[in-house]
């Protein structure tokens, strides 16, 4: 029995691991989803959910606490405006992990970690570009 089980070390030094996880949380909050390995996704999930919870509470002290992890100001503003409103009525569980199979090079298990209730990409942009190309050909 392993008492007080800690976090995964991910074969990195402490400073490298913390920097990597902070960058992954920032990328997740910026793009809405990222593709990574399953152990990294499982480590990123609680950090990202904590940042969104801080945003829901609001206030200057919570902005400063979130700024420890999210170094990009634009992303931080997005979290405290857009995500605060989007997840206001949700009691938790802001992310989901979807397993994608195994990576070809080293057979590492891959996963997609994404924010729930994120808006889908607009396919209308692709449809408007297609007719423009056909007009230039003819």
């Amino acid at each position: 029995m392993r008492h007080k089980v800690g976090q995964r070390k991910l074969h990195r030094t402490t400073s490298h691991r913390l920097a990597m996880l902070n960058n992954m949380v920032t990328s997740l909050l910026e793009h809405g989803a990222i593709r990574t390995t399953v152990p990294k996704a499982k480590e990123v999930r609680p950090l990202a959910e904590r940042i969104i919870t801080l945003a829901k509470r609001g206030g200057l002290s919570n902005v400063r606490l979130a700024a420890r992890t999210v170094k990009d100001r634009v992303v931080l503003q997005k979290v405290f405006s857009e995500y605060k409103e989007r997840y206001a009525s949700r009691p938790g569980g802001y992310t989901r992990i979807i397993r994608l199979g195994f990576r070809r090079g080293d057979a590492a298990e891959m996963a997609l970690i994404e924010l729930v209730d994120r808006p889908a990409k607009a396919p209308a942009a692709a449809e408007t570009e297609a007719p423009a190309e056909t007009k230039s050909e003819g």
Side-chain angles (χ1 to χ4, degrees), residues 55-98:
K56 282 175 57 176
R57 291 181 191 158
L60 180 61
S61 62
N62 289 325
V63 172
R64 288 179 175 165
L65 288 172
R68 292 178 182 179
T69 302
V70 180
K71 306 293 189 212
D72 189 358
R73 269 199 184 171
V74 175
V75 176
L76 197 61
Q77 289 173 350
K78 181 178 182 179
V79 169
F80 276 83
S81 60
E82 181 182 333
Y83 295 152
K84 179 180 181 175
E85 295 167 6
R86 185 188 304 174
Y87 299 114
S89 61
R90 191 176 188 93
Y94 313 112
T95 58
R96 83 168 54 99
I97 296 175
I98 302 169

Side-chain angles (χ1 to χ4, degrees), residues 122-137:
E127 293 173 355
T128 57
E129 291 175 10
E133 292 177 39
T134 55
K135 289 179 183 176
S136 62
E137 291 174 10

Side-chain angles (χ1 to χ4, degrees), residues 1-137:
M1 184 182 312
R2 295 184 59 204
H3 299 283
K4 298 183 180 179
V5 176
Q7 298 149 337
R8 294 168 183 83
K9 294 184 181 175
L10 302 173
H11 303 288
R12 287 164 172 81
T13 61
T14 303
S15 59
H16 183 187
R17 183 176 62 250
L18 293 176
M20 179 191 67
L21 292 174
N22 290 346
N23 288 334
M24 290 178 74
V25 168
T26 303
S27 295
L28 174 63
L29 295 173
E30 181 180 2
H31 301 291
I34 55 173
R35 186 171 179 260
T36 184
T37 60
V38 172
K40 288 179 189 172
K42 287 181 177 181
E43 287 299 310
V44 165
R45 172 183 255 173
L47 297 174
E49 294 200 358
R50 175 156 166 75
I51 297 300
I52 294 173
T53 302
L54 289 172
K56 282 175 57 176
R57 291 181 191 158
L60 180 61
S61 62
N62 289 325
V63 172
R64 288 179 175 165
L65 288 172
R68 292 178 182 179
T69 302
V70 180
K71 306 293 189 212
D72 189 358
R73 269 199 184 171
V74 175
V75 176
L76 197 61
Q77 289 173 350
K78 181 178 182 179
V79 169
F80 276 83
S81 60
E82 181 182 333
Y83 295 152
K84 179 180 181 175
E85 295 167 6
R86 185 188 304 174
Y87 299 114
S89 61
R90 191 176 188 93
Y94 313 112
T95 58
R96 83 168 54 99
I97 296 175
I98 302 169
R99 291 171 187 254
L100 299 175
F102 297 93
R103 187 162 49 196
R104 184 173 178 184
D106 60 355
E109 191 173 7
M110 299 301 289
L112 178 77
I113 181 168
E114 65 179 358
L115 299 173
V116 296
D117 300 337
R118 74 181 174 122
K121 293 281 185 182
E127 293 173 355
T128 57
E129 291 175 10
E133 292 177 39
T134 55
K135 289 179 183 176
S136 62
E137 291 174 10

